[in-house]
Amino acid sequence: MTIPRILSGTAHPALGDAVSEALGTEPVECEVERFPDGELQPVVGHVRGEDVYVVQPTGPEVNEHLVELLLLLDACRRAGAQRVTAVVPYFGYARQDRRARAGQSVGARVALDALAAAGADRLVVVDPHTPALEAMSSIPVESLTAVPLLAGTLAERTPPAAVVVSPDLGAVELAERYGALLGRPVTVVRKTRLSGSAVQAEEIVGDVAGQPILVVDDMISSGGTIEAAVQVLLAHGAAPDITVAATHPLLVDRAPARLARLPISLLLVTNTVPPGRIRTLPHRVRSVAPLLAEAVALLHSGEPLDTLLIRA
């Protein structure tokens, strides 16, 4: 195996091309045929004996992109690839890491088992919603983070007095990482989720009166969590100068309209999924392609990812 080979699905070909360019390699040719009834049939180029990295985030439409990823992995394995790594910058179904009530499935475990069964030898993700992925997976999982990348931009753009805010209890550890990197205090909003898109923020732990705000989360899906957090922050006297940072800008359904109604001065995200829906908002997008390229280079050479993890 002399060079790593990058193969992109249809979920985010621009990211795959950027990773190939950063590595100085030509991407593997790939065509995804679509039958009239919606079936997918990928056809991959020559990969026999190669170390292949399939770049395919499973963002919206999650199910279609996940099935396509499974088929791509199987196609690479059947084409004789020596090793196949699934590079899934945004890993859909990570929120389903446990049963909240009887009768539910554990979607994260099902998706992980499917990746292994389809032929993946390893999985690379960026800021997964749950740290439990590796514990549930039968194949090695490499969890990268975009927090230092985003924090570097925030250090230049946010006011010195800004307070880092976790919009719910689940993002407290993430907020503390941002707070440590930026040297800023951390405040927590306690919320209750009413449905998949409806959230009620109830109280704040910390002081935000008169302060500019930096709300951080791993992803923005419907925008409900960010909207509820900002509303309760403003009600507690926070300055109407809000910066929002998140790794994964899913922005489904009415999310752009929801965020547009808020006094957000900057929405800072990465391109783990195509960030096209943020065009109507004041935003900046940081690319994770260099991070992924460095991880691929280390994995290909058999080196540990310690340097990337220490930097995080």
Side-chain angles (χ1 to χ4, degrees):
M1 298 184 292
T2 56
I3 61 171
R5 302 299 307 279
I6 305 300
L7 186 152
S8 298
T10 63
H12 200 349
L15 180 58
D17 289 346
V19 174
S20 292
E21 183 177 354
L23 289 167
T25 65
E26 289 294 322
V28 176
E29 293 184 4
C30 176
E31 179 182 355
V32 179
E33 299 178 358
R34 296 177 182 272
F35 291 95
D37 63 353
E39 283 187 20
L40 306 176
Q41 186 174 59
V43 181
V44 303
H46 177 72
V47 294
R48 182 168 298 278
E50 303 278 13
D51 184 19
V52 181
Y53 296 80
V54 180
V55 179
Q56 174 86 339
T58 52
E61 300 286 337
V62 176
N63 296 331
E64 176 163 332
H65 291 151
L66 176 58
V67 171
E68 182 184 326
L69 173 59
L70 298 175
L71 295 174
L72 287 168
L73 295 170
D74 182 73
C76 290
R77 182 64 65 199
R78 293 177 187 276
Q82 182 170 339
R83 185 172 67 174
V84 184
T85 299
V87 181
V88 189
Y90 170 73
F91 188 87
Y93 285 100
R95 285 175 287 190
Q96 299 185 35
D97 61 340
R98 63 177 64 88
R99 294 191 305 162
R101 59 186 178 87
Q104 291 183 331
S105 65
V106 181
R109 176 64 185 268
V110 173
L112 289 165
D113 286 349
L115 291 178
D121 295 300
R122 185 179 298 268
L123 171 65
V124 177
V125 296
V126 179
D127 288 331
H129 191 69
T130 175
L133 283 185
E134 185 164 21
M136 291 187 287
S137 177
S138 61
I139 59 175
V141 178
E142 307 290 352
S143 293
L144 308 178
T145 180
V147 170
L149 176 69
L150 296 175
T153 299
L154 292 168
E156 304 169 357
R157 300 290 298 267
T158 54
V163 175
V164 178
V165 174
S166 169
D168 57 26
L169 296 178
V172 171
E173 184 177 343
L174 178 66
E176 290 175 342
R177 289 164 65 194
Y178 275 101
L181 288 169
L182 296 170
R184 310 285 169 80
V186 175
T187 292
V188 181
V189 174
R190 191 170 72 84
K191 76 172 186 183
T192 299
R193 179 166 291 280
L194 305 177
S195 69
S197 60
V199 174
Q200 178 179 324
E202 297 169 340
E203 61 180 278
I204 292 177
V205 179
D207 182 22
V208 297
Q211 304 299 314
I213 297 299
L214 168 58
V215 181
V216 298
D217 211 343
D218 64 307
M219 65 176 169
I220 304 174
S221 182
S222 69
T225 295
I226 300 297
E227 180 183 43
V230 169
Q231 288 175 345
V232 75
L233 288 164
L234 294 174
H236 282 72
D241 180 8
I242 310 292
T243 299
V244 177
T247 301
H248 310 295
L250 305 182
L251 297 175
V252 300
D253 300 331
R254 298 184 296 110
R258 270 180 157 170
L259 298 183
R261 293 194 295 264
L262 304 174
I264 295 176
S265 57
L266 175 67
L267 175 61
L268 178 64
V269 297
T270 78
N271 63 340
T272 55
V273 296
R277 299 203 73 205
I278 67 173
R279 292 173 183 166
T280 58
L281 302 166
H283 68 274
R284 184 173 178 186
V285 180
R286 297 300 309 272
S287 177
V288 295
L291 174 67
L292 295 175
E294 189 171 355
V296 167
L298 289 170
L299 290 172
H300 176 71
S301 63
E303 298 294 326
L305 301 189
D306 292 354
T307 56
L308 294 181
L309 300 178
I310 290 171
R311 222 178 296 163

